Amino acid sequence: PSTPTTPEVPDTPKVTSETKEIPAAPENIETPPTGDKVVVVALENTEAIQSVAVPEAVAQANPEASVKVTEGGNAPALPENVAADDVHIVVGVSVVDKEGNPVKITEPGYFILDADVPEGKKLVVGHYKNGVWIDCLVEDLGNGHYKVHYNGLSPFAAVIIEEHEESPFAAEEKPT
C-alpha cells in the first residue's frame, strides 16, 4: 500500500517594503555620467535594494515625496522564457508624493541591488513598462552589488541566467 504524501506548500514569497522620504540635503545629490542629477535615498529595511537614485527634478517638483520599495510579491506576467527558478527577486520601486499618490518618472536614475550570482551566471533586470518587460542596463559593482539603470519606475524583475544566454527582456527602444 502506498503511503499518502502531504503536498508541498510553496513558500509564500516574503514581502518587505519601505517608504522613505527623499532627502533635500546636497550631500545626497550626485551627477552620474549622463549629467542628469539624482538624489540618492539610502534604504534601511529592505533586503535586496540598498538605495534608489531619484532624478533631482522629480525631487524638486515634489517636496516631501518618498521612495517606496516593495520586495517580493507578484509581478506582471514575465516573458515565457523566464523560468520561475531563475527569478532572483521582483521589486516595485516608485516615488509617491506626500499624500501617497504615485509620481510619474520618465527621467533616468538607478538603484543598487544586492544579488548573489553564482559562477557562470549573470544578472539581468527587466523593467515592466507599457505592458512590456524592457531590459535594464546592469553594472556589476562587485561584492554582490549591482547598479540597475532605469528610465522610469515600476515593477522590476531580477533574473539570474547562464552567462552565455541572451536577456529574456526586450531591448529598450532608443529615441531617435
Side-chain angles (χ1 to χ4, degrees):
S2 65
T3 314
T5 57
T6 310
E8 277 190 40
V9 179
D11 291 340
T12 309
K14 181 178 169 230
V15 177
T16 56
S17 88
E18 179 173 0
T19 302
K20 190 159 183 191
E21 192 169 323
I22 298 169
E27 64 267 17
N28 295 83
I29 296 176
E30 63 178 56
T31 308
T34 56
D36 302 305
K37 287 186 176 177
V38 292
V39 180
V40 179
V41 181
L43 301 173
E44 294 153 15
N45 301 322
T46 53
E47 291 180 16
I49 305 282
Q50 297 303 310
S51 61
V52 177
V54 177
E56 184 187 39
V58 171
Q60 287 179 341
N62 299 280
E64 297 177 50
S66 298
V67 166
K68 182 176 182 184
V69 173
T70 306
E71 298 177 335
N74 296 325
L78 289 163
E80 285 175 13
N81 51 350
V82 173
D85 293 354
D86 295 339
V87 177
H88 169 60
I89 193 164
V90 171
V91 293
V93 181
S94 58
V95 171
V96 293
D97 64 18
K98 62 184 177 190
E99 284 83 39
N101 300 312
V103 174
K104 184 157 178 63
I105 294 185
T106 54
E107 300 86 352
Y110 67 85
F111 56 89
I112 304 296
L113 175 72
D114 280 0
D116 187 14
V117 179
E119 194 67 39
K121 303 263 190 177
K122 67 180 176 184
L123 180 79
V124 292
V125 178
H127 170 204
Y128 195 69
K129 199 170 171 181
N130 303 326
V132 180
W133 283 98
I134 304 292
D135 205 24
C136 294
L137 172 65
V138 177
E139 275 181 78
D140 186 347
L141 302 175
N143 296 337
H145 292 14
Y146 294 84
K147 187 182 223 179
V148 179
H149 298 266
Y150 66 76
N151 284 323
L153 293 175
S154 63
F156 293 88
V159 178
I160 296 172
I161 60 174
E162 297 294 329
E163 224 164 53
H164 63 272
E165 288 179 341
E166 289 291 314
S167 170
F169 306 117
E172 177 134 36
E173 297 291 316
K174 297 283 180 248
T176 50

